[in-house]
C-alpha cells in the first residue's frame, strides 16, 4: 500500500461517518473520494474541521486556530444554505451565555476597554461544544480519541528526549513537548492520561476472556504518560492526575482498586529521586520561595476582586492592580500577570457574579454527566465516557487550584472536546430510541 492510499484510509476513518450523516447516497465515483460528501454538506465539513482543530491543538496553537476558523466558515455556509441558524443548544447553554455576558461587561467597564474587548476573541472557542453536539457522530468522537492518544504518545516521546538531552533540572526551562510552555504541556498530558485510562476501563469492563488483556496496554500507556508528566515537575498537574484517576476508579471499579491507586502513589513518592521529592515537599513549605510567592499572588488577586466585586477590573488590568497589593518580593513582577488560580483570576477579572456563573457552569456539566451515566448503565461505552468526562473535569479543576489553566487556549480546546463526547453519545442514543418507538423528537 503506497503512502497516498494510507493517507486516504486515515481521512476516510473520519469522513465516512459524515457521509452517512448527509443522508445522500454517494455515486460509485464519489465513493473513491473520502471527502466527496463533505463538500456538499458544509455542516458536516464543519465538524471535521473543528475536530482537526482539537487534534492539532496538541501540536500547534496556530494550526488549531486556523482549523477552528475554517470550521466556523463551514458552519456559516451551512447556515446560509439552510436559511437558518443551524446550531443545537447544549444543556449548559444558558449558564455559559450568562458567564460570557458578564465577561463582556467586565471588558466594557474596565480601565482599558479597547484592549479587553479585543481579548474577548479568545471566547470564540466556546462554540466548539455547540458545533460538535450539532454535527459530530459517536464514531467520529471515537476516531478523534485515537488521534489524540496517538499524537500525545509522540509528544510524550519527544518530551522524554528533551529531558534526556537536558543538562539538568531547571524550573524555568522544563520539558514542553510540542508546546511553548511546560504548563500547557503538562495540562494536556494530564487530561489525555485520564481519558486514556478511561478507555482502558472501558475495554476492561466490555472485554471478555482474553480481550481484557488489551486493557493492560491502555493502562501501560497511561502509566508511561504519568512518568513523563512527573518529569515536567508540574505539581498542579500531578495533583490533577491523582484526583482524576481516583474519581475514575470510584465511578467504575471496585474499591480495592482505589487502595491499589493510593498504594501506588505512596510507593511512587517514596521511590522518586531526591530532586522530585524536594519539588513535591516544597509545595507544602511556606518558607519556600515559590510557595511564599504564590500565596502572595493569591492574596493580591483576592484583594483586587474584593475591591472590584461587581465587574472586576478586566483581564488586562489584573497584573497592574495585583502589584498594588504585593507584599513579597520573592517573584518577579511578570509572575503577577495572572492569579495562578482559576477562581481568583475569574473573580479579579470579571467580578463575583461571574465567579458564581462560572461555578454554576461546571456544576451543571457535572450533573449532566452523572445523569447521562446513570441513564445508560447498560451501554458501557457511554457510561465510561460520561465518567471519563467527570474525571477529566475533576483533574482540570484540581490543577486550576494552582494554575490559571482556564486561560490556556490549548488546554481549553481539548477540554471542550472531552466534555462534548457524553452529550453527543446521549443525543445519538435518544435519537435511536425515538426511531425504535416511532416518537417525534422534543421541540
Amino acid at each position: 500500500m503506497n503512502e497516498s492510499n494510507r493517507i486516504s484510509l486515515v481521512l476516510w476513518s473520519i469522513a465516512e461517518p459524515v457521509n452517512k450523516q448527509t443522508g445522500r447516497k454517494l455515486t460509485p465515483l464519489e465513493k473513491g473520494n473520502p471527502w466527496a460528501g463533505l463538500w456538499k454538506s458544509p455542516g458536516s465539513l464543519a465538524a471535521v474541521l473543528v475536530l482537526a482543530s482539537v487534534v492539532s491543538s496538541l501540536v500547534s496553537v496556530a494550526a488549531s486556530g486556523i482549523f477552528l476558523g475554517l470550521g466556523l466558515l463551514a458552519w456559516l455556509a451551512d447556515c446560509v444554505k439552510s436559511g437558518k441558524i443551524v446550531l443545537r443548544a447544549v444543556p449548559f447553554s444558558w449558564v455559559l451565555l450568562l458567564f460570557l455576558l458578564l465577561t463582556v461587561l467586565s471588558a466594557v467597564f474596565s480601565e482599558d476597554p479597547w484592549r479587553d474587548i479585543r481579548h474577548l476573541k479568545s471566547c470564540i472557542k466556546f462554540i466548539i461544544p455547540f458545533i460538535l453536539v450539532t454535527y459530530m457522530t459517536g464514531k467520529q468522537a471515537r476516531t478523534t480519541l485515537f488521534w489524540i492518544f496517538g499524537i500525545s504518545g509522540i509528544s510524550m516521546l519527544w518530551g522524554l528526549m528533551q529531558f534526556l538531552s537536558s543538562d539538568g533540572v531547571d524550573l524555568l526551562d522544563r520539558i514542553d513537548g510540542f508546546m511553548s510552555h511546560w504548563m500547557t504541556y503538562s495540562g494536556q498530558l494530564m487530561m489525555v492520561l485520564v481519558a486514556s485510562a478511561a478507555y482502558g476501563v472501558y475495554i476492561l469492563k466490555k472485554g471478555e476472556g482474553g480481550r481484557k488483556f488489551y486493557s493492560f496496554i491502555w493502562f501501560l500507556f497511561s502509566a508511561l504518560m504519568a512518568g513523563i508528566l512527573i518529569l515536567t515537575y508540574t505539581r498542579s498537574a500531578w495533583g490533577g492526575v491523582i484526583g482524576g484517576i481516583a474519581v475514575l476508579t470510584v465511578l467504575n471499579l471496585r474499591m480495592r482498586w482505589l487502595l491499589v491507586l493510593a498504594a501506588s502513589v505512596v510507593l511512587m513518592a517514596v521511590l522518586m529521586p531526591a530532586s522530585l521529592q524536594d519539588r513535591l515537599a516544597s509545595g507544602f513549605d511556606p518558607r519556600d520561595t515559590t510557595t511564599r510567592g504564590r500565596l502572595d499572588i493569591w492574596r493580591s488577586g483576592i484583594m483586587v476582586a474584593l475591591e472590584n466585586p461587581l465587574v472586576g477590573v478586566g483581564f488586562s488590568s489584573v497584573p497592574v492592580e495585583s502589584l498594588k497589593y504585593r507584599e513579597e518580593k520573592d517573584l518577579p513582577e511578570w509572575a503577577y500577570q495572572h492569579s495562578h488560580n482559576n477562581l481568583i483570576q475569574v473573580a479579579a477579572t470579571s467580578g463575583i457574579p461571574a465567579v458564581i456563573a462560572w461555578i454554576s457552569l461546571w456544576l451543571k456539566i457535572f450533573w449532566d454527566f452523572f445523569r447521562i451515566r446513570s441513564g445508560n448503565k447498560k451501554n458501557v461505552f457511554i457510561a465510561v465516557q460520561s465518567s471519563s468526562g467527570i474525571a477529566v473535569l475533576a483533574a482540570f479543576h484540581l490543577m486550576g487550584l494552582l494554575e490559571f489553566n482556564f486561560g490556556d487556549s490549548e488546554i481549553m480546546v481539548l477540554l471542550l472536546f472531552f466534555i462534548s463526547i457524553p452529550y453527543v453519545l446521549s443525543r445519538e442514543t435518544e435519537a435511536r430510541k425515538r426511531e425504535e418507538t416511532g416518537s417525534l423528537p422534543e421541540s
Side-chain angles (χ1 to χ4, degrees):
M1 181 182 294
N2 58 38
E3 186 66 23
S4 62
N5 287 336
R6 281 197 294 269
I7 295 175
S8 295
L9 286 176
V10 169
L11 295 176
W12 181 260
S13 66
I14 295 180
E16 189 267 342
V18 179
N19 291 328
K20 289 183 178 180
Q21 186 180 330
T22 63
R24 182 182 63 83
K25 291 185 178 180
L26 300 179
T27 65
L29 179 62
E30 290 175 325
K31 288 181 179 179
N33 178 10
W35 297 99
L38 296 177
W39 303 120
K40 297 188 177 182
S41 179
S44 300
L45 178 60
V48 173
L49 289 170
V50 171
L51 290 175
S53 173
V54 172
V55 173
S56 61
S57 69
L58 295 164
V59 179
S60 167
V61 64
S64 178
I66 291 172
F67 278 121
L68 180 58
L70 292 174
L72 291 177
L73 289 176
W75 169 67
L76 290 173
D78 192 41
C79 292
V80 172
K81 180 180 178 181
S82 304
K84 60 181 180 180
I85 297 178
V86 184
L87 203 63
R88 186 186 297 266
V90 290
F92 57 83
S93 301
W94 66 272
V95 193
L96 176 60
L97 292 176
L98 176 60
F99 169 72
L100 293 178
L101 174 61
L102 293 171
T103 302
V104 171
L105 287 176
S106 73
V108 171
F109 290 102
S110 69
E111 293 187 3
D112 191 353
W114 178 238
R115 182 176 179 180
D116 279 323
I117 289 173
R118 283 184 296 170
H119 178 74
L120 292 176
K121 67 180 183 294
S122 62
C123 295
I124 194 66
K125 58 181 171 288
F126 289 104
I127 200 173
I128 290 176
F130 293 86
I131 292 180
L132 294 184
V133 171
T134 301
Y135 299 110
M136 186 174 71
T137 67
K139 292 182 69 175
Q140 283 180 290
R142 191 180 299 214
T143 301
T144 306
L145 277 174
F146 279 101
W147 273 91
I148 290 173
F149 296 151
I151 294 178
S152 296
I154 297 173
S155 178
M156 176 179 67
L157 294 176
W158 180 243
L160 177 60
M161 291 178 61
Q162 288 178 324
F163 182 82
L164 295 176
S165 61
S166 63
D167 295 329
V169 178
D170 183 353
L171 294 180
L172 296 179
D173 185 21
R174 303 179 229 171
I175 61 174
D176 52 16
F178 298 133
M179 296 292 99
S180 59
H181 198 280
W182 58 84
M183 202 61 65
T184 302
Y185 181 53
S186 59
Q188 289 178 337
L189 288 180
M190 175 191 70
M191 290 190 293
V192 175
L193 192 162
V194 173
S196 65
Y199 204 88
V201 170
Y202 160 69
I203 297 175
L204 183 66
K205 294 170 72 72
K206 183 70 174 178
E208 297 178 358
R211 286 183 58 83
K212 290 186 177 182
F213 171 76
Y214 292 115
S215 63
F216 172 76
I217 298 176
W218 289 101
F219 293 142
L220 179 61
F221 176 75
S222 301
L224 292 174
M225 193 168 290
I228 302 301
L229 184 61
I230 290 174
L231 297 180
T232 65
Y233 283 77
T234 309
R235 296 168 298 188
S236 56
W238 296 354
V241 161
I242 293 173
I245 296 298
V247 169
L248 188 67
T249 302
V250 169
L251 292 176
N252 293 281
L253 302 176
R254 296 178 181 178
M255 290 304 297
R256 66 170 178 262
W257 284 97
L258 189 61
L259 297 176
V260 171
L261 174 64
S264 300
V265 171
V266 172
L267 182 63
M268 187 177 298
V270 171
L271 297 179
M272 274 183 177
S275 59
L276 288 168
Q277 289 184 355
D278 292 341
R279 176 63 176 162
L280 180 62
S282 65
F284 302 95
D285 184 3
R287 297 169 299 177
D288 179 74
T289 300
T290 56
T291 300
R292 189 167 58 246
R294 189 184 298 273
L295 290 173
D296 189 58
I297 291 174
W298 289 351
R299 189 193 57 78
S300 300
I302 291 172
M303 292 302 298
V304 172
L306 292 178
E307 290 291 328
N308 305 271
L310 293 181
V311 294
V313 297
F315 185 82
S316 61
S317 297
V318 169
V320 177
E321 296 298 319
S322 294
L323 289 174
K324 294 180 180 179
Y325 302 98
R326 181 186 184 190
E327 293 182 354
E328 300 290 343
K329 304 297 181 181
D330 296 302
L331 299 180
E333 290 188 358
W334 59 259
Y336 289 74
Q337 60 185 306
H338 57 72
S339 300
H340 294 270
N341 177 284
N342 286 337
L343 284 170
I344 298 175
Q345 178 68 22
V346 172
T349 300
S350 305
I352 305 302
V355 171
I356 296 173
W358 190 81
I359 294 174
S360 300
L361 168 65
W362 302 114
L363 290 178
K364 169 60 177 170
I365 297 173
F366 273 120
W367 172 257
D368 288 341
F369 288 175
F370 277 110
R371 178 181 53 80
I372 293 171
R373 178 176 175 272
S374 62
N376 294 274
K377 289 184 177 180
K378 293 183 179 180
N379 189 318
V380 179
F381 187 67
I382 297 180
V384 173
Q385 283 303 311
S386 298
S387 60
S388 174
I390 295 170
V392 169
L393 275 177
F396 169 81
H397 286 294
L398 285 171
M399 183 180 184
L401 294 176
L402 297 175
E403 296 298 338
F404 180 48
N405 56 353
F406 182 67
D408 198 322
S409 180
E410 296 95 318
I411 289 178
M412 286 305 301
V413 167
L414 199 57
L415 178 69
L416 292 171
F417 167 72
F418 285 132
I419 66 173
S420 299
I421 295 176
Y423 290 118
V424 170
L425 297 177
S426 176
R427 182 205 71 200
E428 287 190 340
T429 301
E430 292 173 359
R432 194 176 301 113
K433 289 179 180 177
R434 287 196 297 267
E435 290 178 1
E436 294 173 352
T437 59
S439 60
L440 296 175
E442 297 179 2
S443 57

